[in-house]
Amino acid sequence: MAITIEIDHARTRRMAPGQGQGQAPVQAKPQQRGHARSPRQAGGPVVPQGVKGPIRRLKWLILVLTLGVYYVTPFIRWNRGPNAPDQAVLLDFAHGRLYLGPAEIWPQDLYLITAAMLLATFILVLVNALAGRLWCGFACPQTVWTDLFLLVERLVEGDRRQRLKNIGAPLTAKRAAQIATKHVLWMMIALLTGGTLIFYFTDAPELLRDLAHGEMSATALTWTLVFAGTTYGLAGFAREQVCTFMCPWPRLQGAIWDPEAFTVNYRDYRGETRMSVKKAVEARAKGEPAGDCVDCGACVAVCPIGIDIRQGPSFACINCGLCVDACDGVMAKLDRPRGLIDYESWRNIERGRAGELRVSRLVRPKTVGLALACVALAGVIAVSFVTKTTAVLSVQHDRDPMSVRLSDGSVRNAYTVKLLNKSSASQTFKLGIRGVDAALAIVGYAKADAIEVEPDGSETLRVTLTMPEPVEADVTFQAVDAAGQVVLTAQDRFVNR
């Protein structure tokens, strides 16, 4: 199996007809047609061409949905009752809360966030095992905003041919107006993006009103400009450099690359040898081999990364499938079957070279195992959310001294007990113990059955246990609610030393 993965993906390499495992790739001939050049100009950015097709339409749909979710979500309301914010998604740094609809996550619930990130990683690996860098090509924020910026660029400056003419051309009044218009629109999108991100950290309608009245705080304004500048720089200028060099996922994906995954591949056994339509007809009439690829370079021209998929698998390919649309369009015009470039597994490419039937192995031990792991982890997270309490009881034993012997021979241990109320309503608890026969006393409280904890607040108690006939044993502190149900427990130890 011969696979070429190069950092300098401006060079082109292709398989010779019938080339199989263990054979070295053959250096491609220089391109003869001007439009077959790589969309990357010398020392400049990639200038991709627009394309139409089902995959491009799917990408537009995902772009609209993802941007809609991003821009609208901060304004969705969620009634959590009194003393609680009504924004559905809110990261409240001031009070140390993360609100996600009905879920309220405190710093003590960090394990849930960790589990959610682990689940996202498992899902990403599963998607990679099924279809490679599908996330990168369709839903990654860098891809989505770059597509949006490229759309603005095409609408203002024209498609690829016109933009290439503009590179190095004398600056005219029309050209200056186009550049200014493009960058103004980019800045507007960037500011809208940065401002929306700030809305996730504070009440969105209130901040929007402050912004409309010119009363936005310096902190909010600073972060808006920072996020706007990041969007403007990454989507407007860095573009494919982020996907190829800045993002770690291409390197990680190379380590878990799966030859059975359905990634964008070129069926070289069908496309080679490349030649024009006229020459292909003549070659076939003579009984000579002629491939379906006419070397038009459409697949290269539309690539947002600037690679030639006909070289073989590349770590830089984001699996967006735009080259599939471009090639299918050319094949349709030539009345040839689609799929010369397609979502296909590398194993099937090898099977095609050997004349074997293609096999779809999306369901295999690896994908089944990953899917089961995702389901199991999602179940654990769901159960943890459902069973998560709205209060926390913690106990810390005094260390110096650990125990005190009284004049009557009894032994006293002291503890710091903390009751945390994570709900938006006050709660009253009765504190008790089990496991030892000891007298419980709370400093500052005559009785232990009326401990009120304010909403989103905590109560720290100084608690002593006195045992007339001291023995070392585990002790369980328990908090009982107004209905007499034990709702919280915490374990420590009574010591006699």
Side-chain angles (χ1 to χ4, degrees):
M1 179 174 63
I3 301 175
T4 303
I5 300 179
E6 298 177 342
I7 295 293
D8 181 10
H9 44 259
R11 282 183 286 173
T12 55
R13 222 177 258 271
R14 64 182 177 187
M15 297 290 181
Q19 182 179 327
Q21 184 173 359
Q23 296 178 335
V26 177
Q27 186 69 35
K29 296 179 181 180
Q31 301 290 349
Q32 300 298 323
R33 298 177 178 85
H35 57 277
R37 295 174 299 171
S38 167
R40 180 189 299 277
Q41 301 305 299
V46 171
V47 184
Q49 180 176 311
V51 64
K52 295 181 180 179
I55 296 176
R56 178 66 268 184
R57 289 193 294 271
L58 177 61
K59 282 174 64 65
W60 286 134
L61 176 62
I62 294 175
L63 181 145
V64 171
L65 290 176
T66 51
L67 290 180
V69 169
Y70 174 77
Y71 289 121
V72 172
T73 297
F75 296 94
I76 299 175
R77 302 294 95 185
W78 193 281
N79 185 12
R80 299 185 178 90
N83 305 316
D86 63 350
Q87 187 162 310
V89 179
L90 177 66
L91 181 54
D92 188 355
F93 276 124
H95 300 93
R97 311 281 193 281
L98 172 61
Y99 297 97
L100 296 172
E104 181 179 339
I105 301 176
W106 285 53
Q108 291 85 349
D109 304 323
L110 184 61
Y111 66 96
L112 292 174
I113 300 298
T114 304
M117 294 176 64
L118 184 61
L119 175 61
T121 302
F122 271 98
I123 293 175
L124 196 59
V125 175
L126 173 60
V127 170
N128 182 82
L130 294 173
R133 294 177 66 183
L134 207 61
W135 159 261
C136 299
F138 288 83
C140 174
Q142 175 64 20
T143 296
V144 170
W145 265 276
T146 297
D147 270 356
L148 182 59
F149 274 49
L150 279 172
L151 175 62
V152 171
E153 189 172 66
R154 291 192 189 104
L155 292 175
V156 174
E157 298 184 351
D159 207 351
R160 179 172 181 263
R161 185 184 299 273
Q162 184 60 48
R163 300 205 306 278
L164 289 176
K165 288 181 179 179
N166 292 335
I167 296 177
L171 185 64
T172 63
K174 179 181 177 181
R175 177 65 184 141
Q178 287 179 336
I179 294 174
T181 302
K182 177 183 73 172
H183 285 279
V184 167
L185 293 175
W186 279 3
M187 290 178 186
M188 290 174 62
I189 295 172
L191 285 171
L192 180 61
T193 302
T196 302
L197 188 57
I198 296 299
F199 290 158
Y200 284 88
F201 298 88
T202 186
D203 185 72
E206 182 179 349
L207 183 59
L208 190 60
R209 286 192 296 269
D210 292 343
L211 179 61
H213 290 88
E215 299 174 353
M216 191 174 185
S217 68
T219 301
L221 180 60
T222 299
W223 282 110
T224 298
L225 294 176
V226 168
F227 293 137
T230 302
T231 304
Y232 179 71
L234 295 183
F237 300 95
R239 293 183 181 175
E240 77 285 347
Q241 304 296 323
V242 175
C243 303
T244 306
F245 301 109
M246 296 174 64
C247 179
W249 181 238
R251 276 79 180 172
L252 296 176
Q253 193 234 355
I256 59 175
W257 181 77
D258 193 327
E260 295 287 1
F262 276 63
T263 55
V264 175
N265 279 304
Y266 167 63
R267 290 188 169 103
D268 55 356
Y269 56 88
R270 173 185 154 188
E272 304 298 332
T273 301
R274 309 174 198 172
M275 60 184 68
S276 67
V277 177
K278 181 179 179 180
K279 289 183 179 180
V281 172
E282 295 174 354
R284 288 167 182 166
K286 298 177 183 179
E288 298 176 355
D292 281 346
C293 180
V294 295
D295 212 9
C296 64
C299 56
V300 183
V302 301
C303 180
I305 304 298
I307 63 174
D308 187 346
I309 195 62
R310 295 172 298 179
Q311 298 176 32
S314 170
F315 86 102
C317 178
I318 60 173
N319 225 32
C320 67
L322 295 180
C323 55
V324 177
D325 276 346
C327 187
D328 285 350
V330 174
M331 292 295 105
K333 292 177 181 178
L334 299 177
D335 198 24
R336 295 179 179 177
R338 68 161 301 278
L340 181 59
I341 298 176
D342 205 357
Y343 284 96
E344 182 63 285
S345 71
W346 184 254
R347 286 277 189 256
N348 279 333
I349 297 296
E350 293 180 322
R351 292 184 183 106
R353 291 173 182 166
E356 301 173 357
L357 295 176
R358 68 182 299 275
V359 179
S360 176
R361 294 195 66 238
L362 291 178
V363 179
R364 54 190 187 276
K366 179 179 180 179
T367 57
V368 171
L370 286 169
L372 291 177
C374 291
V375 171
L377 188 54
V380 171
I381 295 174
V383 170
S384 299
F385 266 116
V386 171
T387 58
K388 188 166 66 74
T389 63
T390 58
V392 176
L393 173 66
S394 61
V395 179
Q396 183 176 2
H397 198 293
D398 278 6
R399 298 303 178 192
D400 189 20
M402 296 193 70
S403 64
V404 176
R405 184 169 295 276
L406 305 181
S407 58
D408 60 359
S410 60
V411 173
R412 174 176 294 168
N413 283 197
Y415 306 83
T416 299
V417 177
K418 185 174 183 179
L419 281 165
L420 177 65
N421 180 12
K422 299 193 292 182
S423 69
S424 57
S426 63
Q427 297 190 53
T428 302
F429 300 97
K430 175 183 177 182
L431 192 64
I433 59 169
R434 57 182 171 84
V436 294
D437 184 14
L440 181 147
I442 303 177
V443 178
Y445 281 82
K447 297 188 297 182
D449 58 354
I451 304 170
E452 184 175 354
V453 186
E454 296 295 323
D456 290 340
S458 62
E459 191 73 22
T460 302
L461 308 173
R462 181 71 174 170
V463 177
T464 62
L465 297 182
T466 304
M467 189 180 297
E469 298 179 1
V471 293
E472 292 203 5
D474 291 332
V475 55
T476 300
F477 291 80
Q478 56 188 25
V480 181
D481 62 10
Q485 299 292 325
V486 177
V487 292
L488 302 171
T489 60
Q491 193 171 26
D492 209 293
R493 188 164 180 81
F494 189 94
V495 299
N496 181 24
R497 57 177 182 270

